[in-house]
Amino acid sequence: MNLNAAILDYCAQHSTPEPLILQELSRTTHLRVVQPRMLSEWSQGLLLQLLSQMIQPRYVLEIGTFTGYSAICLAQGLPANGMLYTYDVDDEALAIAASFFARCNRSSQIAAHCQSARQGAPTLGLTFDLVFMDGDKREYMQDYEMSLSLLRSGGFLLADNVLWDGKITEQAPANDKHTLTLQAFNDFVKNDARVEKIILPLRDGLTIVRKK
Ligand SMILES: C[S@@+](CC[C@H](N)C(=O)[O-])C[C@H]1O[C@@H](n2cnc3c(N)ncnc32)[C@H](O)[C@@H]1O
């Protein structure tokens, strides 16, 4: 089915509306950040929220906080004793995220770290129930192996941007490291017997992986 603008608008009109705090976060990001297109938008944020509410994860790991949109969505499924750990290397984006985390309904359950996730997450000594991979696309293979090693059996990993604006099916030039890595990543996950997986063609493509 060709999802034209009218169909997408119909879907949005018949889904839970975007909360005010996320509308404001989105506005602030567009005003203050150089690359606002890295931000999640509500159709994906709502899916992340609903998946988290289904899983009810005790521990969530997020790679790539940016200004905090997806973290606030994922935190909605945490039980009362749950925690979300989110990592980013961009301190300016994290400062915006921190100001919105402080005001959101899950403020005490989100721990944001200014550090590469691959350096920080393994030192927490935790096993995660849910991982959201949304960091540097050129590092997806390394992030995936690290995440899988920290994920419990039966846990879920979500990887964003796996269709990369449609470039994923095209022949990529040798210097297009983002597309080439994402193609290699998708092929690797397809052949990875440790997991079950599906690519959802939502927005820029979201892979859902379940560790066996
Ligand atoms: C697409 S943005 C994340 C968007 C955010 N998850 C959302 O949906 O609103 C990617 C972020 O990953 C961060 N990043 C890059 N390398 C990273 C690393 N090694 N560890 C953690 N974050 C990283 C970038 O600084 C950038 O802010």
Side-chain angles (χ1 to χ4, degrees), residues 128-186:
F128 291 90
D129 307 288
L130 174 61
V131 177
F132 182 46
M133 262 178 54
D134 195 15
D136 189 330
K137 310 309 155 194
R138 295 165 298 185
E139 297 174 6
Y140 260 27
M141 297 294 286
Q142 298 95 309
D143 284 348
Y144 179 72
E145 282 304 332
M146 183 276 288
S147 299
L148 217 54
S149 74
L150 299 182
L151 192 65
R152 74 166 163 83
S153 175
F156 288 87
L157 179 150
L158 313 171
D160 199 13
N161 305 107
V162 294
L163 299 181
W164 204 232
D165 212 13
K167 290 188 198 154
I168 205 72
T169 56
E170 296 168 7
Q171 177 82 43
N175 63 355
D176 185 352
K177 190 104 196 290
H178 289 84
T179 305
L180 290 169
T181 307
L182 284 166
Q183 289 170 335
F185 172 73
N186 289 342

Side-chain angles (χ1 to χ4, degrees), residues 15-72:
S15 300
T16 302
E18 186 178 36
L20 285 178
I21 188 167
L22 293 179
Q23 292 179 29
E24 195 183 326
L25 193 161
S26 188
R27 269 198 305 277
T28 302
T29 303
H30 281 88
L31 285 173
R32 290 178 45 192
V33 174
V34 181
Q35 282 190 293
R37 67 178 291 276
M38 289 207 290
L39 188 71
S40 280
E41 56 90 54
W42 180 233
S43 61
Q44 176 169 329
L46 178 56
L47 178 68
L48 295 178
Q49 173 178 317
L50 290 168
L51 289 171
S52 181
Q53 286 168 330
M54 286 179 212
I55 297 163
Q56 300 187 20
R58 171 92 162 85
Y59 294 119
V60 179
L61 170 64
E62 179 181 62
I63 305 175
T65 318
F66 193 44
T67 53
Y69 194 105
S70 49
I72 291 175

Side-chain angles (χ1 to χ4, degrees), residues 78-153:
L78 293 170
N81 62 353
M83 278 297 294
L84 180 146
Y85 296 86
T86 182
Y87 288 85
D88 207 297
V89 290
D90 177 347
D91 56 351
E92 286 181 21
L94 272 175
I96 297 173
S99 70
F100 281 92
F101 293 159
R103 293 171 42 202
C104 84
N105 61 341
R106 300 290 184 151
S107 56
S108 63
Q109 293 182 279
I110 301 176
H113 298 277
C114 189
Q115 190 180 19
S116 167
R118 286 202 308 282
Q119 283 174 0
T123 68
L124 294 171
L126 296 173
T127 301
F128 291 90
D129 307 288
L130 174 61
V131 177
F132 182 46
M133 262 178 54
D134 195 15
D136 189 330
K137 310 309 155 194
R138 295 165 298 185
E139 297 174 6
Y140 260 27
M141 297 294 286
Q142 298 95 309
D143 284 348
Y144 179 72
E145 282 304 332
M146 183 276 288
S147 299
L148 217 54
S149 74
L150 299 182
L151 192 65
R152 74 166 163 83
S153 175

